[in-house]
Amino acid sequence: MSFLSMSKMVLRKLFSAPVTERYPFVPKVHPVGARGKVNIEIEKCIFCGICQRRCPTTAIIVTKEPKVWEIDRLRCISCNLCVDVCPKKCLALDTQYSPCCVGPQKDSYHA
Amino acid sequence: MSKRTIIPFGPQHPVLPEPIHLDLVIEDEKVIEAIPSIGFIHRGLEKLVEKKDFIDYVFVAERICGICSFIHGMTYCIAMEELLKLEVPSRAQYLRVIWSELSRIHSHLLWLGLTADAFGFENLFMQSWQIREQILDIIEETTGGRVIFGSCKVGGVRRDISAEKLQEILKKLRSYRNQWTEIGGIFLNDTTVKHRLQGVGKLSMEQAKTLGAVGPMLRGSGVAMDIRMTGYSGYNKLGFTPVVETAGDCYSRCKVRIRELDQSLQLIETCVTQMTEGPLEAKVVGFPNGEFFARSEQPRGEAIYYAKANGTKFLQRLRVRTPTFANLPPLLTALAGCQLADVPVIVLTIDPCISCAER
Ligand code: SF4
Ligand code: SF4
């Protein structure tokens, strides 16, 4: 017979600090290596378009003339493939996600 | 004879995280028959192989299920590696096993929580999910994603875990083991919990075999069958024996899952001691050709991937049979004759993952 098997745990929790994080007040820190949004160092980019060809969700659009690198934040699944294939190593994944948005969110970077 | 009525259960129901619809034919409070209908969230992911090349499709395969995402991606990779005749390096295989077992631990803890929620034990639900949250943190630290790992690729894995990190993970997991043993004890010994689980939703060994049950549903009915016994991805080197319980009711399915938590940790420990340094991937050359059936053991049971390729970068056909789909006929048998109030608990004991059943 065990009716109150939970009580020991409940009492312990009652006197310990909460395990949840107070999220919007305390910002969430993601560990190193977490896959968040894609960042580009546009000065290093040579607009070769390899990232555009390899992206599985076609989130990236690269135009040579004028030199523009565009990303659709909502399409991107943070898979890290573009970072792996970029010959100039100008792409990197941030540990933070891109902020919430209510519509299509295209970010353009000009050389 | 009392009058028969039909009570609809789902697709929206408090215990169901995902939509499945059951028409329960009841007499008084007793369920006579359950008639299922599925297909609310079919996404056509199998058809997508014709549009995505075989390397990119890993990302889609991982998204078939949101809980056993890694094992889905891995099974797909195993099928592709077989068609490409690739030898996966041993370190990559060990890492795959570690991530598979981590996802099993987090999936079983999720299930324990949901079951506690289904029979109204909210506190137990929160405790289970608290441990699960810490497992998710380990997964995020090692793969970069909490739910979609994204660390498996055709030919190997995309990330390594350093030796110190592995020791740190083991240390953490051992302390979580104490926590899950404590809540496991409540699940297995508490009178109220036993009352809701014992003798409910019986499935005999014969029924489990003939209806093709898989995973804990099958092992809870006394059949020692686990695809990890076939030794895919290096499981043969780990000395694996399946966990079996014989009662065939909800309680024994629960017990199988709780015992599997310890077993998963043991497998991870063995992996860490056996692992040696080495390459992480084999280079992909050429295109897949031929047909292959890949099988793997997910937290919910056996998943089957059938792939047919013709030597181009697009596959001709991919067929995925997920464990929840295989467990639906045994579920209907277990439901027949139960009380209406027990339906949510019985439905949950197959650990339904509807979006992967419908792909
Ligand atoms: S692959 Fe790199 S260098 Fe080439 S366009 Fe993309 S970001 Fe620029
Ligand atoms: S992270 Fe993946 S989805 Fe996002 S832009 Fe790069 S390749 Fe495309």
Side-chain angles (χ1 to χ4, degrees):
Chain A
M1 274 296 174
S2 82
F3 279 112
L4 299 168
S5 49
M6 199 74 192
S7 36
K8 210 168 97 200
M9 198 189 282
V10 171
L11 280 176
R12 202 169 57 229
K13 296 280 170 186
L14 208 57
F15 296 105
S16 60
V19 286
T20 46
E21 286 162 29
R22 296 178 48 76
Y23 167 59
F25 310 110
V26 182
K28 167 87 184 148
V29 185
H30 294 277
V32 189
R35 300 195 312 270
K37 69 171 193 177
V38 183
N39 282 345
I40 181 165
E41 287 177 64
I42 196 71
E43 316 79 52
K44 282 211 252 161
C45 176
I46 53 168
F47 300 91
C48 62
I50 293 179
C51 54
Q52 172 185 348
R53 253 173 286 138
R54 294 297 289 130
C55 175
T57 58
T58 58
I60 302 178
I61 295 171
V62 182
T63 17
K64 280 214 157 107
E65 213 44 66
K67 291 188 156 133
V68 186
W69 187 92
E70 253 187 346
I71 182 164
D72 187 340
R73 296 284 179 204
L74 282 184
R75 288 192 83 98
C76 173
I77 55 170
S78 298
C79 67
N80 208 36
L81 208 56
C82 52
V83 182
D84 288 346
V85 296
C86 174
K88 300 305 273 183
K89 297 282 162 254
C90 55
L91 296 174
L93 284 191
D94 200 340
T95 54
Q96 292 294 334
Y97 308 129
S98 45
C100 310
C101 55
V102 286
Q105 198 199 4
K106 277 224 164 85
D107 286 353
S108 308
Y109 299 84
H110 302 261
Chain B
M1 199 182 99
S2 49
K3 216 174 122 215
R4 289 196 174 178
T5 347
I6 291 185
I7 294 206
F9 178 87
Q12 315 296 337
H13 190 279
V15 301
L16 289 175
E18 291 169 277
I20 179 172
H21 178 79
L22 295 171
D23 275 318
L24 302 171
V25 181
I26 63 161
E27 218 178 78
D28 290 337
E29 286 277 308
K30 199 169 152 208
V31 177
I32 304 296
E33 197 191 351
I35 305 158
S37 47
I38 59 171
F40 295 94
I41 37 172
H42 176 64
R43 292 168 287 166
L45 294 183
E46 289 174 351
K47 183 79 178 159
L48 208 56
V49 280
E50 295 165 17
K51 294 257 170 56
K52 290 251 170 267
D53 74 44
F54 74 99
I55 293 187
D56 287 354
Y57 194 81
V58 184
F59 298 117
V60 182
E62 276 202 318
R63 282 162 175 79
I64 287 179
C65 179
I67 302 165
C68 25
S69 62
F70 181 80
I71 309 187
H72 269 290
M74 180 175 101
T75 319
Y76 172 79
C77 288
I78 291 175
M80 286 306 109
E81 283 145 10
E82 202 62 38
L83 295 180
L84 288 160
K85 314 225 162 23
L86 277 183
E87 186 73 44
V88 182
S90 101
R91 187 171 179 90
Q93 291 200 340
Y94 279 120
L95 285 170
R96 282 182 179 182
V97 172
I98 291 178
W99 280 317
S100 305
E101 295 309 319
L102 278 175
S103 47
R104 196 177 317 276
I105 295 177
H106 104 72
S107 171
H108 282 353
L109 284 168
L110 173 122
W111 178 84
L112 285 174
L114 287 178
T115 311
D117 187 44
F119 53 63
F121 207 150
E122 295 295 325
N123 203 335
L124 199 52
F125 155 68
M126 284 181 224
Q127 302 305 334
S128 315
W129 279 41
Q130 185 217 321
I131 311 175
R132 172 177 178 258
E133 195 61 29
Q134 296 160 317
I135 308 281
L136 289 184
D137 286 343
I138 296 183
I139 293 172
E140 188 179 19
E141 282 163 22
T142 52
T143 68
R146 291 167 65 77
V147 174
I148 303 292
F149 293 23
S151 55
C152 201
K153 70 195 264 187
V154 178
V157 291
R158 297 171 76 197
R159 289 203 187 196
D160 198 2
I161 312 179
S162 68
E164 304 88 70
K165 188 82 205 165
L166 283 171
Q167 291 305 332
E168 192 191 315
I169 291 173
L170 275 187
K171 212 172 116 207
K172 279 188 190 164
L173 285 176
R174 286 187 189 122
S175 75
Y176 304 155
R177 173 169 53 192
N178 300 338
Q179 298 177 21
W180 76 57
T181 313
E182 193 177 355
I183 61 158
I186 298 171
F187 271 100
L188 298 178
N189 302 325
D190 192 272
T191 319
T192 42
V193 178
K194 270 181 162 170
H195 209 71
R196 292 303 305 268
L197 297 181
Q198 261 174 352
V200 174
K202 279 245 183 202
L203 191 73
S204 71
M205 191 175 183
E206 253 336 283
Q207 284 171 327
K209 270 189 201 161
T210 46
L211 294 169
V214 292
M217 190 87 176
L218 180 66
R219 294 193 286 279
S221 294
V223 186
M225 166 101 167
D226 189 311
I227 302 305
R228 286 176 282 176
M229 283 152 72
T230 61
Y232 71 91
S233 188
Y235 272 106
N236 47 357
K237 293 175 241 163
L238 303 176
F240 172 81
T241 42
V243 169
V244 184
E245 288 292 329
T246 48
D249 55 1
C250 291
Y251 183 77
S252 77
R253 279 165 230 151
C254 181
K255 205 164 172 186
V256 168
R257 291 194 172 94
I258 290 173
R259 285 177 54 199
E260 279 190 354
L261 287 174
D262 290 334
Q263 186 191 39
S264 291
L265 174 54
Q266 218 172 26
L267 286 172
I268 296 178
E269 279 173 342
T270 324
C271 275
V272 174
T273 46
Q274 288 187 4
M275 249 162 114
T276 47
E277 290 296 319
L280 291 179
E281 56 176 300
K283 202 166 161 30
V284 176
V285 261
F287 296 116
N289 202 352
E291 296 176 86
F292 190 67
F293 267 102
R295 298 154 82 201
S296 67
E297 183 74 22
Q298 294 194 332
R300 293 165 180 72
E302 172 190 15
I304 302 178
Y305 270 65
Y306 164 74
K308 185 175 178 199
N310 54 1
T312 62
K313 70 176 187 175
F314 298 105
L315 297 183
Q316 266 182 316
R317 178 84 172 94
L318 181 77
R319 168 93 177 93
V320 185
R321 205 291 316 270
T322 59
T324 304
F325 193 71
N327 269 337
L328 284 179
L331 168 69
L332 301 180
T333 311
L335 279 177
C338 77
Q339 292 295 312
L340 183 60
D342 287 332
V343 173
V345 179
I346 300 178
V347 171
L348 266 183
T349 50
I350 72 160
D351 202 353
C353 179
I354 307 301
S355 58
C356 73
E358 295 177 5
R359 306 170 303 284

